[in-house]
Amino acid sequence: MKIIVPVKRVVDYNVKVRVKSDQSGVDIANVKMSMNPFDEIAVEEAVRLKEKGVATEIIAVSCGLAACQETLRTALAIGADRAILVETDVELQPLAVAKLLKAVMDKESPQLVILGKQAIDDDANQTGQMLAALADLPQATFASKVDVADGKVRVMREVDGGLETLSLTLPAVITTDLRLNEPRYVTLPNIMKAKKKQLDVFKPADLGVDVAPRLKTLKVSEPAGRKAGIKVSDVAMLIDKLKNEAKVV
């Protein structure tokens, strides 16, 4: 079974982001970048499926700048077999990424696509669902457990009311949640091996996909600062402030 795992290059989750002075976006100059954490979970899950003998090949795919090759090498170091970069300097929005991934799927014919439920930069939570719709495939979002057997995949997913288990026929699209697994530590030998693994580069035009932005960002601004809290001496004072100042009771 062949698995495709899309990965995105984002600002590292430990970095405090800064808004550009002209409010056109987030300043990423000289900022540490890394793989989107949810995508890292997706790569780990694909590698575990291969270790169980379920998968035979894992292909990591990224869309964006040439610097995304670094993110793909990380995926290769975790355990992906080869990588594909769709290189473009155009700002990619979820629908464009979904179309690019659909074109890659048409070339590779995978039985399973596993990707993070959302990216921590835009929090769109759209690409997986759009990809499933474009490819006309069954989907399971927010997966917290994945089992593949007999041409089907059982996915336990987290919903507002608790847990829901779905059974999907392959091929299918799965988006990962935080509780699915804990990604392994990437060792230096595997990082060195990753440098020798195959990494193919395409342009959106090679795949016949128009990635022109459909949405325009008007302004990006930081959230308003929060007022400092206060300590109250007793319950009576707390109720008084909730009633007369906050006016919530």
Side-chain angles (χ1 to χ4, degrees):
M1 183 174 77
K2 184 185 293 187
I3 301 178
I4 282 183
V5 185
V7 295
K8 185 177 184 181
R9 180 176 180 263
V10 299
V11 175
D12 189 88
Y13 68 92
N14 289 310
V15 174
K16 180 176 175 56
V17 297
R18 302 185 305 273
V19 176
K20 292 181 180 178
S21 58
D22 61 359
Q23 295 188 314
S24 62
V26 172
D27 186 6
I28 59 173
N30 301 316
V31 170
K32 181 183 178 183
M33 307 292 284
S34 61
M35 185 188 301
N36 178 48
F38 291 103
D39 296 339
E40 192 173 2
I41 291 170
V43 177
E44 173 67 25
E45 190 63 22
V47 173
R48 292 188 184 189
L49 288 174
K50 185 178 180 183
E51 290 173 344
K52 291 177 182 177
V54 174
T56 55
E57 185 179 28
I58 302 169
I59 307 169
V61 181
S62 191
C63 306
L65 302 172
C68 292
Q69 290 191 30
E70 180 182 346
T71 305
L72 288 171
R73 292 296 179 192
T74 301
L76 293 171
I78 294 173
D81 297 293
R82 58 188 174 95
I84 296 174
L85 170 63
V86 184
E87 185 179 342
T88 176
D89 56 2
V90 175
E91 178 191 354
L92 293 175
Q93 295 171 350
L95 180 58
V97 175
K99 288 181 177 180
L100 291 171
L101 294 176
K102 169 63 167 56
V104 173
M105 287 178 63
D106 291 342
K107 290 174 65 69
E108 297 291 343
S109 300
Q111 283 71 54
L112 193 60
V113 179
I114 308 178
L115 65 161
K117 69 173 184 178
Q118 65 194 71
I120 62 172
D121 51 3
D122 57 16
D123 277 336
N125 184 16
Q126 295 176 341
T127 304
Q129 293 89 325
M130 289 178 170
L131 175 60
L134 291 172
D136 194 24
L137 295 177
Q139 62 174 305
T141 56
F142 314 130
S144 58
K145 185 177 180 181
V146 175
D147 291 308
V148 180
D150 302 324
K152 292 187 177 182
V153 54
R154 285 174 58 87
V155 179
M156 183 180 293
R157 59 189 300 268
E158 300 186 9
V159 296
D160 291 341
L163 297 174
E164 177 183 58
T165 302
L166 302 178
S167 178
L168 312 177
T169 55
L170 297 175
V173 176
I174 297 173
T175 70
T176 62
D177 212 336
L178 282 174
R179 293 168 187 81
L180 180 58
N181 61 53
E182 183 175 343
R184 68 194 64 192
Y185 176 77
V186 180
T187 62
L188 181 58
N190 286 335
I191 293 174
M192 300 305 293
K193 291 177 183 177
K195 294 181 179 181
K196 299 179 180 180
K197 290 184 178 180
Q198 179 181 347
L199 195 160
D200 299 317
V201 180
F202 298 97
K203 300 289 186 181
D206 299 333
L207 302 174
V209 178
D210 178 15
V211 295
R214 294 168 177 259
L215 304 174
K216 180 180 180 181
T217 301
L218 301 179
K219 183 176 72 171
V220 177
S221 58
E222 294 185 7
R226 298 177 62 181
K227 294 181 180 179
I230 61 170
K231 290 184 178 181
V232 295
S233 57
D234 52 39
V235 175
M237 183 179 291
L238 172 62
I239 294 175
D240 177 68
K241 288 187 176 296
L242 290 175
K243 185 176 181 180
N244 299 316
E245 293 185 18
K247 299 186 184 301
V248 294
V249 294

